CSV table of all heavy atoms in Angstrom, one decimal:
chain,number,residue,atom,x,y,z
T,16,GLU,N,2.9,137.5,-61.4
T,16,GLU,CA,3.0,136.1,-60.8
T,16,GLU,C,3.2,135.0,-61.8
T,16,GLU,O,3.8,134.0,-61.6
T,16,GLU,CB,1.8,135.9,-59.9
T,16,GLU,CG,1.8,136.8,-58.7
T,16,GLU,CD,0.5,136.8,-57.9
T,16,GLU,OE1,-0.6,136.4,-58.5
T,16,GLU,OE2,0.5,137.3,-56.8
T,28,TRP,N,5.2,132.3,-54.5
T,28,TRP,CA,4.4,132.1,-53.3
T,28,TRP,C,4.6,133.3,-52.3
T,28,TRP,O,3.6,133.8,-51.8
T,28,TRP,CB,5.0,130.8,-52.6
T,28,TRP,CG,4.1,130.3,-51.4
T,28,TRP,CD1,3.2,129.3,-51.5
T,28,TRP,CD2,4.1,130.9,-50.1
T,28,TRP,NE1,2.6,129.2,-50.2
T,28,TRP,CE2,3.1,130.1,-49.4
T,28,TRP,CE3,4.8,131.9,-49.4
T,28,TRP,CZ2,2.8,130.3,-48.0
T,28,TRP,CZ3,4.5,132.1,-48.1
T,28,TRP,CH2,3.5,131.4,-47.4
T,32,HIS,N,1.5,136.0,-51.3
T,32,HIS,CA,1.1,136.0,-49.9
T,32,HIS,C,1.5,137.3,-49.3
T,32,HIS,O,1.4,137.4,-48.0
T,32,HIS,CB,1.6,134.8,-49.2
T,32,HIS,CG,0.9,133.5,-49.6
T,32,HIS,ND1,-0.3,133.1,-49.0
T,32,HIS,CD2,1.2,132.6,-50.6
T,32,HIS,CE1,-0.7,132.0,-49.6
T,32,HIS,NE2,0.2,131.7,-50.6
T,39,GLU,N,12.9,147.9,-52.7
T,39,GLU,CA,12.7,147.4,-54.0
T,39,GLU,C,14.1,147.2,-54.6
T,39,GLU,O,15.0,148.0,-54.5
T,39,GLU,CB,12.0,148.4,-54.8
T,39,GLU,CG,11.5,147.9,-56.1
T,39,GLU,CD,10.7,149.0,-56.8
T,39,GLU,OE1,11.2,150.1,-57.0
T,39,GLU,OE2,9.5,148.7,-57.2
T,43,VAL,N,14.4,146.0,-60.4
T,43,VAL,CA,13.0,146.4,-60.6
T,43,VAL,C,12.9,147.9,-60.9
T,43,VAL,O,12.2,148.3,-61.8
T,43,VAL,CB,12.2,146.1,-59.3
T,43,VAL,CG1,10.7,146.5,-59.5
T,43,VAL,CG2,12.2,144.6,-59.0
T,49,ILE,N,13.2,151.9,-67.6
T,49,ILE,CA,13.2,151.6,-69.1
T,49,ILE,C,11.8,151.7,-69.6
T,49,ILE,O,11.6,152.2,-70.7
T,49,ILE,CB,13.9,150.2,-69.3
T,49,ILE,CG1,15.4,150.2,-69.0
T,49,ILE,CG2,13.6,149.7,-70.7
T,49,ILE,CD1,16.0,148.9,-69.0
T,58,GLU,N,3.5,158.7,-79.4
T,58,GLU,CA,2.2,159.4,-79.0
T,58,GLU,C,1.1,158.5,-78.6
T,58,GLU,O,0.3,158.8,-77.8
T,58,GLU,CB,1.8,160.4,-80.1
T,58,GLU,CG,2.8,161.6,-80.2
T,58,GLU,CD,2.4,162.4,-81.4
T,58,GLU,OE1,1.4,162.2,-82.0
T,58,GLU,OE2,3.3,163.3,-81.8
T,63,ILE,N,-2.8,150.0,-70.6
T,63,ILE,CA,-4.1,149.5,-70.5
T,63,ILE,C,-4.2,148.5,-69.3
T,63,ILE,O,-3.5,147.5,-69.3
T,63,ILE,CB,-4.5,148.8,-71.8
T,63,ILE,CG1,-4.5,149.7,-72.9
T,63,ILE,CG2,-5.9,148.1,-71.6
T,63,ILE,CD1,-4.9,149.1,-74.3
T,67,GLY,N,-7.1,144.2,-63.0
T,67,GLY,CA,-6.4,143.8,-61.8
T,67,GLY,C,-5.4,142.7,-62.0
T,67,GLY,O,-4.7,142.3,-61.0
T,81,ILE,N,-0.9,144.0,-79.0
T,81,ILE,CA,-0.5,144.7,-77.7
T,81,ILE,C,1.1,144.8,-77.7
T,81,ILE,O,1.8,144.1,-78.4
T,81,ILE,CB,-1.0,144.0,-76.5
T,81,ILE,CG1,-0.5,142.5,-76.4
T,81,ILE,CG2,-2.5,144.1,-76.3
T,81,ILE,CD1,-0.9,141.8,-75.1
T,89,CYS,N,16.7,139.3,-74.3
T,89,CYS,CA,16.1,138.4,-75.3
T,89,CYS,C,14.8,137.8,-74.7
T,89,CYS,O,14.7,137.8,-73.4
T,89,CYS,CB,17.0,137.4,-75.8
T,89,CYS,SG,17.7,136.4,-74.4
T,93,ALA,N,9.6,133.2,-69.0
T,93,ALA,CA,8.7,134.0,-68.1
T,93,ALA,C,8.0,135.1,-68.8
T,93,ALA,O,6.8,135.3,-68.6
T,93,ALA,CB,9.6,134.6,-66.9
T,95,VAL,N,7.3,135.2,-72.0
T,95,VAL,CA,6.4,134.5,-72.9
T,95,VAL,C,5.1,134.1,-72.2
T,95,VAL,O,4.0,134.4,-72.6
T,95,VAL,CB,7.0,133.3,-73.6
T,95,VAL,CG1,5.9,132.5,-74.4
T,95,VAL,CG2,8.1,133.7,-74.6
T,103,TRP,N,-4.4,136.0,-73.7
T,103,TRP,CA,-5.6,135.1,-73.3
T,103,TRP,C,-6.6,135.9,-72.6
T,103,TRP,O,-7.8,135.8,-72.9
T,103,TRP,CB,-5.1,133.9,-72.5
T,103,TRP,CG,-6.2,133.2,-71.9
T,103,TRP,CD1,-7.0,132.2,-72.4
T,103,TRP,CD2,-6.7,133.4,-70.5
T,103,TRP,NE1,-7.9,131.8,-71.6
T,103,TRP,CE2,-7.8,132.5,-70.4
T,103,TRP,CE3,-6.4,134.2,-69.5
T,103,TRP,CZ2,-8.5,132.4,-69.2
T,103,TRP,CZ3,-7.1,134.1,-68.3
T,103,TRP,CH2,-8.2,133.2,-68.2
T,113,LYS,N,-4.2,139.3,-81.4
T,113,LYS,CA,-3.5,138.2,-82.2
T,113,LYS,C,-2.0,138.2,-82.0
T,113,LYS,O,-1.3,137.3,-82.4
T,113,LYS,CB,-3.8,138.5,-83.7
T,113,LYS,CG,-5.2,138.3,-84.1
T,113,LYS,CD,-5.4,138.7,-85.6
T,113,LYS,CE,-6.9,138.5,-86.0
T,113,LYS,NZ,-7.2,139.3,-87.2
T,115,CYS,N,1.5,139.9,-79.6
T,115,CYS,CA,2.1,140.7,-78.6
T,115,CYS,C,3.5,141.0,-79.2
T,115,CYS,O,4.3,140.1,-79.5
T,115,CYS,CB,2.2,140.1,-77.2
T,115,CYS,SG,3.0,141.2,-76.0
T,140,ASP,N,-2.9,125.4,-68.1
T,140,ASP,CA,-1.9,124.7,-67.4
T,140,ASP,C,-1.1,125.6,-66.4
T,140,ASP,O,-0.9,125.2,-65.3
T,140,ASP,CB,-1.0,123.9,-68.4
T,140,ASP,CG,-0.1,123.0,-67.7
T,140,ASP,OD1,-0.5,122.1,-67.0
T,140,ASP,OD2,1.2,123.2,-67.9
T,144,ARG,N,-1.0,125.3,-62.3
T,144,ARG,CA,0.3,125.1,-61.6
T,144,ARG,C,0.6,126.3,-60.6
T,144,ARG,O,1.0,126.1,-59.5
T,144,ARG,CB,1.5,125.0,-62.6
T,144,ARG,CG,1.4,123.7,-63.4
T,144,ARG,CD,2.7,123.5,-64.2
T,144,ARG,NE,3.0,124.5,-65.1
T,144,ARG,CZ,4.2,125.2,-65.1
T,144,ARG,NH1,5.1,125.0,-64.2
T,144,ARG,NH2,4.4,126.1,-66.1
T,152,PRO,N,0.9,125.4,-47.9
T,152,PRO,CA,0.8,126.0,-46.6
T,152,PRO,C,2.1,126.9,-46.3
T,152,PRO,O,2.0,127.8,-45.5
T,152,PRO,CB,0.6,124.9,-45.6
T,152,PRO,CG,1.1,123.7,-46.4
T,152,PRO,CD,0.9,123.9,-47.8
T,169,GLU,N,16.6,138.0,-52.1
T,169,GLU,CA,17.8,137.3,-51.8
T,169,GLU,C,18.2,137.3,-50.3
T,169,GLU,O,18.5,136.3,-49.7
T,169,GLU,CB,19.0,137.9,-52.6
T,169,GLU,CG,20.3,137.1,-52.4
T,169,GLU,CD,21.5,137.9,-52.7
T,169,GLU,OE1,21.4,139.1,-52.8
T,169,GLU,OE2,22.6,137.3,-52.8
Side-chain angles (χ1 to χ4, degrees):
E16 290 170 343
W28 193 99
H32 289 275
E39 192 176 53
V43 177
I49 288 172
E58 289 173 12
I63 298 178
I81 58 175
C89 57
V95 170
W103 167 82
K113 294 178 182 161
C115 180
D140 186 55
R144 289 194 300 124
E169 187 201 12

